[in-house]
Amino acid sequence: DQARDAGRKASPFDQAAYGDPASNLSLMSEMLEAVRTGALFLNHQPKLDLRTGAITGAEALARWIHPTRGFLGPDLFVGMAEETGHIRALTDYVIDQAIADQQALRAAGHDLVMSVNISGRLIDDLGFARQAIARVSEAGARMCFEITETAVVGNAAVALQVLEQFKAAGIAVSIDDYGSGLSSLAYLKQIPADELKIDKAFVMGMDGEAKDALLVKSTVDLAHSLGLKVVAEGVESREALAMLQVMGCDIAQGYHIAKPMALPALTEFLTRWGAEDEAADPRAKQA
Ligand code: C2E
Ligand code: MG
Ligand code: MG
Ligand code: MG
């Protein structure tokens, strides 16, 4: 009723985070509509193999250009989708679109592993896992699912089972934002991961802060000793990229290499990158 609504609106806590629940729900129905109209779409951020100089993958990042509110970031609408029960629909869309984009890239001669971020809310959802695996398998897609360690800590038993199912289906598992959340070596040991992504907070600081550089180096070594590939996200400078190469980091991602891009721009970027690869030592262009 209105009085309760008024009381709710007066709560600065609710307002600061998401606005009132009723308008969240209407924004979420607009989100489902935006998926249909193309106002919600994916940008892809390339992942650079530091050993070969090739772009071997890309991460799908959801974008929404709202007709009246303008650009809405995923930090806003992913959180809202989690709160309102729409995260499954959003993630199903992202997976399907990433598969479609991978097929379009293949037709243009580029074969990339597509990474999709999977919310902690879905990590213990066996129905979601079964359907996601079916979609990926039917399409013959090469996929990687990025999850945070924090998400696993909350629902360990089922989450680890779901991650095992992804792995068995040939979907790579990546531990996202490592070092920024609830990190536990006990879980790190158990997660059937292929890849560990060092949180961008450390990577962005490493060319200025000695402690950040030491933490990145230690994390590279820790991951390697567990048999995981290491990705550094948030590579914003030539200096950071050079340091990561010396540290033996496997893969880099960040604005210095490429920003997240819509499919046409990504296709052009990959073609340019490949042409330069043939013309020169792949790593020389990073200098
Ligand atoms: P994330 O998965 O850790 O993605 C990395 C974020 O860092 C992205 O922000 C990316 O645009 C940004 N980034 C990349 N390179 C750099 C850099 O060099 N410097 C800086 N400062 N930032 C960089 P974005 O796209 O705003 O996404 C934020 C978060 O929202 C993502 O963090 C991810 O957790 C979540 N997200 C995005 N799309 C989806 C989705 O489809 N599903 C789910 N569940 N979460 C998503
Ligand atoms: Mg990610
Ligand atoms: Mg991340
Ligand atoms: Mg993040």
Side-chain angles (χ1 to χ4, degrees), residues 140-217:
R142 294 172 66 215
M143 303 287 286
C144 172
F145 285 169
E146 298 191 3
I147 49 114
T148 65
E149 206 183 9
T150 309
V152 175
V153 172
N155 333 267
V158 186
L160 292 171
Q161 187 190 333
V162 163
L163 294 177
E164 292 289 358
Q165 290 175 2
F166 290 149
K167 206 181 166 88
I171 298 169
V173 172
S174 176
I175 301 172
D176 205 355
D177 300 344
Y178 186 77
S180 69
L182 299 176
S183 292
S184 144
L185 294 176
Y187 284 112
L188 186 60
K189 191 182 81 174
Q190 290 179 72
I191 295 173
D194 300 277
E195 177 182 287
L196 182 147
K197 293 183 85 166
I198 305 174
D199 192 76
K200 60 177 177 292
F202 306 105
V203 179
M204 286 162 64
M206 68 185 286
D207 53 359
E209 292 248 5
K211 280 188 182 171
D212 283 335
L214 287 169
L215 287 171
V216 170
K217 170 65 175 147

Side-chain angles (χ1 to χ4, degrees), residues 14-252:
D14 275 351
Q15 284 290 68
Y18 299 121
D20 74 274
S23 80
N24 286 352
L25 275 175
S26 80
L27 190 64
M28 285 297 104
S29 66
E30 288 179 65
M31 185 183 80
L32 301 178
E33 178 63 17
V35 165
R36 283 189 287 276
T37 62
L40 198 147
F41 58 95
L42 299 184
N43 274 354
H44 301 281
Q45 186 174 35
K47 289 168 120 169
L48 168 66
D49 184 319
L50 291 175
R51 228 174 309 277
T52 64
I55 304 293
T56 52
E59 178 177 6
L61 295 158
R63 298 288 179 261
W64 183 4
I65 301 182
H66 187 278
T68 56
R69 299 187 187 209
F71 178 83
L72 298 177
D75 288 327
L76 176 91
F77 64 82
V78 170
M80 219 180 263
E82 287 173 341
E83 297 307 322
T84 56
H86 291 78
I87 189 63
R88 170 88 185 261
L90 176 64
T91 308
D92 286 346
Y93 159 74
V94 174
I95 291 172
D96 287 345
Q97 192 59 50
I99 291 172
D101 288 354
Q102 177 175 67
Q103 286 167 347
L105 287 170
R106 279 178 181 165
H110 307 291
D111 194 11
L112 300 190
V113 175
M114 306 302 263
S115 291
V116 169
N117 291 285
I118 305 295
S119 161
R121 295 290 171 109
L122 291 174
I123 205 61
D124 59 352
D125 184 334
L126 292 163
F128 162 75
R130 185 170 8 89
Q131 274 203 14
I133 288 169
R135 293 163 129 93
V136 170
S137 307
E138 274 163 35
R142 294 172 66 215
M143 303 287 286
C144 172
F145 285 169
E146 298 191 3
I147 49 114
T148 65
E149 206 183 9
T150 309
V152 175
V153 172
N155 333 267
V158 186
L160 292 171
Q161 187 190 333
V162 163
L163 294 177
E164 292 289 358
Q165 290 175 2
F166 290 149
K167 206 181 166 88
I171 298 169
V173 172
S174 176
I175 301 172
D176 205 355
D177 300 344
Y178 186 77
S180 69
L182 299 176
S183 292
S184 144
L185 294 176
Y187 284 112
L188 186 60
K189 191 182 81 174
Q190 290 179 72
I191 295 173
D194 300 277
E195 177 182 287
L196 182 147
K197 293 183 85 166
I198 305 174
D199 192 76
K200 60 177 177 292
F202 306 105
V203 179
M204 286 162 64
M206 68 185 286
D207 53 359
E209 292 248 5
K211 280 188 182 171
D212 283 335
L214 287 169
L215 287 171
V216 170
K217 170 65 175 147
S218 312
T219 308
V220 169
D221 293 343
L222 171 69
H224 281 166
S225 63
L226 291 170
L228 305 176
K229 283 206 167 191
V230 188
V231 183
E233 60 173 27
V235 179
E236 293 191 343
S237 69
R238 176 153 47 99
E239 291 74 21
L241 186 66
M243 291 169 80
L244 289 163
Q245 271 172 330
V246 171
M247 289 175 183
C249 180
D250 304 288
I251 297 159

